């Protein structure tokens, strides 16, 4: 019997929305401030997955310049009806304090790989929107309602409103159909219909170690909804260290053979409940009871090894983890911060055989950083790159970075110094506090290419560099457990990226040239 090994999407892949169309399975996940927007993965057996596409590739679809950390694209919902794919998402502009500016949009496509339409604005009343296609052809938007008022439940219930395909907008009254269970923090609504019941699946308990999937049902779309007496149907036991943690935010799919599965987010702490890989995606097998309630097999706690559906195995050839920058397009796993891939800051053709990055704003910027990165997807990884760079002043830097957000990163960078000349050193920002981890930067002999690499083992990071063929460790091992949702004194939602970047704080856009990037899971 084939097995699903969780997480099926390791590394930062939160808020999964799973969908089957024919024999194909898709999962859409949140991307927050990283561009392009929304990753869609593809499978035919729910065991083997490949990154297929990003729907939001244009600034006209998603303009995140200036978006706050852990803002941007929250909780997409992917659905299909009458030959058309529908994708709902939130673009979060502000989220700290009492207020949240959460704008909800819809894009559509006849083909999952696009082209995807320009966005249709829906509402801004809350986040986690999804679209339900009823059997009579009508379509309904649901999203949680955010209540900023003092002394109220900020998670004020689930709003329902009809969407008109003909008018390309929401129509009719807004109804609050569900105020949540006693668990609270009710969000991430999805509606499913089976055996005469409308099932409302929600996330409750907050996206922390108390996260959970709950369910309620009604014979009417508009309620009242009866809460499952055994809720939560999925949640983690935080006392079991070998268990997937933070299980919640579930989405359901039925196979061709009538089997049911739930995709959900989870986390795997490495130390002190800190998940440096971010929130990941796992899949659980489900079943229906005789009285028409949904249950997770072996639940309510998540399983790492799950019985796979009765489908033919279909492995995919995965994209190479060595990028020599020889092509004319970036590999799919690359992402940038907030900005689109435009020739004014990144190019594969300006100097053939190299990736050219033009110096951008600082690591603290919410606007125009020149940073290209990919998800850290394993606890033991070695990454290596080589850069040709001739900085002219201390405001110019380039190198290899492990990045969570503007407050937390570790950066092996090349720069220049008034007395040392061209040199290499380590910059760290921890909880927003800047530090330099060497007593003094190390002078570099070469004016040409410098190789730099890093090895990650759990929460420990070791940098090294080579001017010719001799690798030398630089600095001591660095604790990178602060590169996690869990280490800040405020809520945040992404994960660790590793990549290359360059800054020019003088504004001259001094370029750096990278000849390859290699990522090896050990």
């Amino acid at each position: 019997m084939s097995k699903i090994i969780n997480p099926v999407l390791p590394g930062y892949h939160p808020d999964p929305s799973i969908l089957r169309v024919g024999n194909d399975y898709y999962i859409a996940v949140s991307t927050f401030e990283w561009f392009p927007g929304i990753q869609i993965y593809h499978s035919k057996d729910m065991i083997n997955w490949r990154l297929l596409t990003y729907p939001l590739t244009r600034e006209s679809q998603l303009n995140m310049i200036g978006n706050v950390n852990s803002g941007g694209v929250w909780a997409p919902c992917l659905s299909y009806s009458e030959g058309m794919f529908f994708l709902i998402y939130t673009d979060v502009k502000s989220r700290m304090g009492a207020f949240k500016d959460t704008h909800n949009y819809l894009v559509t496509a006849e083909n999952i790989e696009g082209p995807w339409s320009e966005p249709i604005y829906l509402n801004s009343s809350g986040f986690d929107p999804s679209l339900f296609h009823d059997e009579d052809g009508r379509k309904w938007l649901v999203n949680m309602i955010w209540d900023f008022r003092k002394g109220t439940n900020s998670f004020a219930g689930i709003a329902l409103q009809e969407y008109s395909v003909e008018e390309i907008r929401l129509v009719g009254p807004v109804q609050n159909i569900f105020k949540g269970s006693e668990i609270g923090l009710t969000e991430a609504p999805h509606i499913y219909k089976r055996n005469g019941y409308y099932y409302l699946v929600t996330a409750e308990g907050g996206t922390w170690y108390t996260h959970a999937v709950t369910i309620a049902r009604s014979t009417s779309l508009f309620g009242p909804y009866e809460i499952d007496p055994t809720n939560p149907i999925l949640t983690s036991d935080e006392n079991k260290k070998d268990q997937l943690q933070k299980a919640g935010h579930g989405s359901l799919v039925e196979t061709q053979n009538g089997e049911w599965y739930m995709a959900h987010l989870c986390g795997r702490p490495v130390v002190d409940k800190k998940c440096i890989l971010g929130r990941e995606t796992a899949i659980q097998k489900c079943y229906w009871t005789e009285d028409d309630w949904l249950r997770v097999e072996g639940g309510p706690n998540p399983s790492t090894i799950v019985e796979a559906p009765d489908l033919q195995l279909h492995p995919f050839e995965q994209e190479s983890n060595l990028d020599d920058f020889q092509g004319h397009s970036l590999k799919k796993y690359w992402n940038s911060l907030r900005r689109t891939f435009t020739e004014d800051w990144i190019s594969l053709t300006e100097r053939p055989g190299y990736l050219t990055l033009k110096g951008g704003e600082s690591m603290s910027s919410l606007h125009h950083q020149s940073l290209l990165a990919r998800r850290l997807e394993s606890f033991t990884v070695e990454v290596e790159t080589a850069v040709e760079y001739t900085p002219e002043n201390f405001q110019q830097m380039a190198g290899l970075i492990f990045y969570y957000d503007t407050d937390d990163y570790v950066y092996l960078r090349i720069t220049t110094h008034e007395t040392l000349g061209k040199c290499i050193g380590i910059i760290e920002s921890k909880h927003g506090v800047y530090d330099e981890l060497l007593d003094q930067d190390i002078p570099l002999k070469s004016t040409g290419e410098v190789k730099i690499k890093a090895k990650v083992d759990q929460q420990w990071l070791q940098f090294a560099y080579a001017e010719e063929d001799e690798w030398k460790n630089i600095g001591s091992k660095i604790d990178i457990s602060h590169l996690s949702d869990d280490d800040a004194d405020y809520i945040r939602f992404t994960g660790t990226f590793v990549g290359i970047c360059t800054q020019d704080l003088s504004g001259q856009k001094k370029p750096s040239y990278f000849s390859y990037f290699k990522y090896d899971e050990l």
Side-chain angles (χ1 to χ4, degrees):
M1 181 68 66
S2 299
K3 301 293 183 182
I4 295 171
I5 307 299
N6 284 316
V8 292
L9 304 182
Y12 155 55
H13 296 98
D15 311 325
S17 170
I18 192 168
L19 171 71
R20 178 179 66 87
V21 178
N23 296 324
D24 295 289
Y25 293 82
Y26 305 103
I27 290 178
V29 294
S30 298
T31 45
F32 292 86
E33 66 262 39
W34 292 90
F35 189 88
I38 304 176
Q39 289 186 311
I40 295 180
Y41 282 82
H42 173 227
S43 178
K44 287 184 173 291
D45 55 18
M46 274 202 279
I47 297 171
N48 300 286
W49 294 86
R50 61 168 175 163
L51 177 55
L52 182 65
T53 192
Y54 298 84
L56 308 179
T57 59
R58 306 185 298 275
E59 188 174 299
S60 59
Q61 294 172 309
L62 181 65
N63 185 342
M64 296 190 293
I65 300 300
N67 276 25
V68 295
N69 290 332
S70 290
V73 178
W74 286 18
C77 175
L78 182 64
S79 60
Y80 183 81
S81 176
E82 300 174 342
M84 185 73 70
F85 288 94
F86 294 79
L87 184 64
I88 307 277
Y89 62 96
T90 307
D91 180 10
V92 177
K93 296 302 185 184
S94 68
R95 64 179 195 87
M96 303 299 289
F99 300 100
K100 286 178 172 51
D101 293 291
T102 58
H103 308 313
N104 296 319
Y105 298 93
L106 164 68
V107 291
T108 60
E110 294 182 4
N111 187 306
I112 191 72
E113 296 187 68
W116 287 83
S117 71
E118 290 298 296
I120 299 163
Y121 173 74
L122 298 172
N123 67 23
S124 301
S125 59
F127 47 88
D128 292 358
S130 70
L131 194 64
F132 170 64
H133 307 268
D134 209 342
E135 296 168 340
D136 61 3
R138 297 173 78 180
K139 304 183 188 306
W140 300 87
L141 181 78
V142 286
N143 61 268
M144 66 80 67
I145 304 170
W146 181 256
D147 191 339
F148 59 85
R149 295 172 297 176
K150 188 175 181 179
T152 64
N153 176 12
S154 298
F155 293 73
I158 303 302
L160 174 78
Q161 189 177 13
E162 186 171 6
Y163 175 75
S164 170
V165 174
E166 292 76 20
E167 298 183 46
I168 320 178
R169 66 183 182 93
L170 294 173
V171 297
V174 179
Q175 301 183 54
N176 191 328
I177 61 171
F178 185 62
K179 291 295 184 72
S181 77
E182 62 183 14
I183 297 173
L185 305 180
T186 308
E187 56 188 334
H190 295 289
I191 294 177
Y192 305 89
K193 194 173 185 181
R194 181 184 179 274
N195 285 359
Y197 284 111
Y198 291 91
Y199 290 90
L200 178 61
V201 177
T202 59
E204 294 192 295
T207 186
W208 176 244
Y209 284 82
T210 53
H211 207 200
V213 177
T214 58
I215 196 165
R217 71 183 183 188
S218 174
T219 54
S220 167
L221 176 64
F222 308 103
Y225 280 84
E226 172 193 5
I227 295 173
D228 188 331
T230 68
N231 273 341
I233 62 170
L234 180 69
T235 193
S236 298
D237 184 343
E238 60 183 298
N239 296 314
K240 294 182 179 179
K241 296 182 179 179
D242 59 343
Q243 188 179 101
L244 299 172
Q245 294 295 328
K246 303 184 178 181
H249 203 113
S251 172
L252 302 178
V253 68
E254 183 181 9
T255 72
Q256 305 94 304
N257 303 321
E259 299 173 281
W260 285 80
Y261 286 82
M262 176 190 293
H264 65 93
L265 70 76
C266 63
R268 291 179 293 165
V270 294
V271 61
D272 299 332
K273 293 187 176 180
K274 298 173 184 178
C275 304
I276 64 171
L277 301 186
R279 297 172 303 154
E280 307 171 285
T281 286
I283 293 176
Q284 306 296 326
K285 189 171 186 181
C286 302
Y287 65 94
W288 294 93
T289 64
E290 291 185 359
D291 58 349
D292 289 319
W293 285 111
L294 185 74
R295 298 287 177 262
V296 172
E297 283 199 0
N301 298 151
S303 299
T304 302
I305 301 175
V306 173
E307 181 182 330
D310 184 19
L311 301 171
Q312 184 175 347
L313 290 176
H314 192 100
F316 296 106
E317 182 179 351
Q318 298 295 330
E319 202 155 23
S320 172
N321 283 320
L322 172 62
D323 196 338
D324 59 8
F325 302 127
Q326 295 293 325
H328 294 286
S329 60
L330 292 166
K331 293 188 182 297
K332 288 180 181 176
Y333 48 68
W334 287 118
N335 292 259
S336 64
L337 270 172
R338 298 177 177 84
R339 65 195 303 201
T340 57
F341 297 123
T342 52
E343 288 284 326
D344 63 331
W345 73 274
I346 185 169
S347 177
L348 288 168
T349 58
E350 184 169 310
R351 185 180 175 187
Y354 290 83
L355 177 77
T356 300
L357 288 181
K358 297 179 182 178
E361 294 175 347
S362 77
M363 297 77 73
S364 299
S365 175
L366 301 179
H367 295 81
H368 298 99
Q369 289 201 46
S370 294
L371 186 154
L372 184 71
R374 55 172 294 167
R375 285 156 177 76
L376 186 66
E377 297 178 352
S378 172
F379 296 118
T380 52
V381 172
E382 187 170 89
V383 293
E384 181 183 323
T385 187
V387 58
E388 187 177 312
Y389 186 52
T390 54
E392 297 169 353
N393 62 66
F394 72 93
Q395 294 180 308
Q396 297 172 341
M397 300 173 280
L400 177 66
I401 194 165
F402 284 76
Y403 188 94
Y404 184 93
D405 63 14
T406 60
D407 284 341
D408 286 277
Y409 53 84
V410 184
Y411 183 17
L412 177 62
R413 60 92 176 94
I414 295 169
T415 186
T416 191
H417 185 272
E418 291 85 348
T419 57
L420 299 175
K422 184 177 176 181
C423 55
I424 188 168
I426 303 171
I427 286 175
E428 179 181 55
S429 178
K430 188 173 183 180
H431 308 152
V433 178
Y434 170 86
D435 198 6
E436 298 170 9
L437 299 190
L438 302 182
D439 292 334
Q440 179 178 283
D441 286 353
I442 298 171
L444 295 170
K445 302 173 186 176
S446 172
T447 57
E449 189 173 80
V450 179
K451 294 181 180 180
I452 48 180
K453 72 177 179 181
K455 184 175 181 179
V456 174
D457 185 3
Q458 303 300 309
Q459 79 269 31
W460 297 105
L461 166 66
Q462 178 67 64
F463 282 124
Y465 75 104
E467 294 190 77
E468 296 175 351
D469 295 324
E470 182 184 356
W471 285 101
K472 299 177 182 177
N473 284 346
I474 179 169
S476 303
K477 289 184 178 180
I478 303 166
D479 183 355
I480 59 169
S481 60
H482 64 104
L483 305 183
S484 68
D485 297 352
D486 321 287
D487 199 57
D489 58 2
Y490 57 91
I491 296 174
R492 54 186 187 179
F493 306 116
T494 57
T496 301
F497 280 69
V498 57
I500 50 182
C501 61
T502 186
Q503 297 77 30
D504 191 342
L505 308 184
S506 71
Q508 299 175 62
K509 296 186 178 181
K510 178 74 176 182
S512 57
Y513 305 99
F514 292 86
S515 58
Y516 67 91
F517 188 95
K518 184 167 63 171
Y519 174 99
D520 291 322
E521 296 185 358
L522 304 176

